[in-house]
Amino acid sequence: MRDRRVFLGRILCLCCCMAVLWLVPAGVEARLVIPLDTPKVGRMPIGIPDFKVSGEASVDGRAMAMILRNDLYMTGLFEIVENAPTPSGTSTDEPDFDAWAKAGVQTLVTGTVAVTGNELIFDGRLYHVTLRKLEMGKRFRCRVPDHRLAIHRFGDRIMEKLTDLVGSFCTQIAFVAASKPGEIYVMDFDGHNLRQATRTGTINLSPRWSPDGRGILFTSYLNRNPDLWFQGLQSGKLHLVSGRKGLNASGRYSPDGRSIAASLSVEGIPKIFLLTPEGHIMNKLTHGRGNDISPTWSPDGSTLAYVSDQAGTPHIYTIPSQGGQPRRLTFQSNYNTDPDWSPMGDMLAFTARIGGRFQICTMRTDGTGFRVLTDKGSNQTPTWSPDGRMIAFSSDRDGTGRIYVMDGGGEVQTPVSPIAGKSPAWSRTSR
């Protein structure tokens, strides 16, 4: 009963305020792959010396290389070797492969930057040290203030080359500021380029991105009721999606953007409904005596996971998006909330109470493979990166409460938000 009261209290509060490095025979190229269901056996040693800058010195080569080092480090797939080894005396522009190999580096990234006025040209190269060959070269042209985005884009190409899957370094994270009243902010995945998205002057909750990345769906007390709103990020215009009496919360677009799953209390206790993007009710998915909140879609749109206390305490269930019988997934903890379906389709991240504190956990979508990823402080509201490699979440481990990003195995956990915040949501599109 106490757990049920705690869970109901959370609802009332809502209403009130990986890699595997495959070793192959000599003469055959080694590949880095990302089987997310396979234990990690090693990180790829990668060298990223400071980039060389020519022209007007308005940028710093070391700082630019550090952006890429940070990107790759946060995936948990790489061991970063920052400093270049002492060259063996070669005067060519080709890297000293022998020196890098001696330093234990398997993959090498070099970069040159040319600045003229407000224009920056970045040339990045990826080398296979073992095979002594150039794997990829890319050129990016941008305004000087946009140099971080150019580096992120190169990082995405590196991830695609080494793993066959484009990275998420150009994506964004929305979150609710911890300061009152709780406006929604947006930042790059690594915490830079912070800007305020909403200016409602009231409590805002549970931001979620539209599939095209052009706007955010969230619950706000703008009309003194927990209503579901949409705001375009470029236009800044607000649109009321659902202002029904009672709770209108936890709105999430389907992958195709044609419907919204949300928790509505129009018939009493909160249930999961499907709405049109304009807010018209299409279907009521859940029934029974439990409070049902926090829906999340499978990548193919066929299934939703959600939270219900129908068993007495909050647990995670799944249900077909066309309706059907719910299935309970969680049994290890007696308090499980905040599910988020991995874009890869095979995993759910969620919050579970472990040892009296909330921790980020993952499990397979059939309920097996339960795993606890955090153990410092209280950690909540996980959200997957669009490539399924990283998870953003809120944590109070530093005493203030910030947004952190970790790799999918929980080995690398990095604070990213420059201000205190909660309830992160990771965009599915790149800038």
Side-chain angles (χ1 to χ4, degrees), residues 280-353:
H280 304 298
I281 292 178
M282 301 167 59
N283 191 17
K284 179 182 177 183
L285 283 186
T286 62
H287 305 269
R289 297 179 297 176
N291 295 275
D292 303 333
I293 61 172
S294 303
T296 178
W297 295 83
S298 63
D300 63 4
S302 66
T303 311
L304 289 113
Y306 65 98
V307 177
S308 178
D309 66 350
Q310 65 188 58
T313 58
H315 285 281
I316 297 172
Y317 294 75
T318 57
I319 191 170
S321 58
Q322 299 300 316
Q325 188 67 27
R327 178 189 179 190
R328 178 175 164 179
L329 297 185
T330 52
F331 293 90
Q332 290 84 352
S333 168
N334 65 355
Y335 198 106
N336 304 275
T337 60
D338 309 322
D340 192 58
W341 210 302
S342 167
M344 305 300 289
D346 59 341
M347 302 287 287
L348 284 165
F350 60 101
T351 302
R353 188 167 60 193

Side-chain angles (χ1 to χ4, degrees), residues 2 15-16 18 28 61 84 100 104 145 151 200-201 222 227 275:
R2 180 181 180 277
C15 297
C16 297
M18 17 115 355
V28 180
W100 282 108
I151 302 300
T200 64
L222 186 59
D227 298 329
L275 312 176

Side-chain angles (χ1 to χ4, degrees), residues 34 42 53 56 77 120 128 180 191 208 210-211 219 225 231 248 265 305 308 320 329 343 358 368 371 391 396 421 430:
I34 309 286
V53 180
E56 304 172 12
L77 304 180
L120 181 146
H128 195 310
K180 294 182 179 180
R208 295 296 166 186
S210 60
T219 295
N225 187 70
Q231 176 167 316
N248 303 266
S265 61
S308 178
L329 297 185
F358 292 112
T368 63
R371 185 178 182 186
I391 300 172
D396 67 358
S430 298

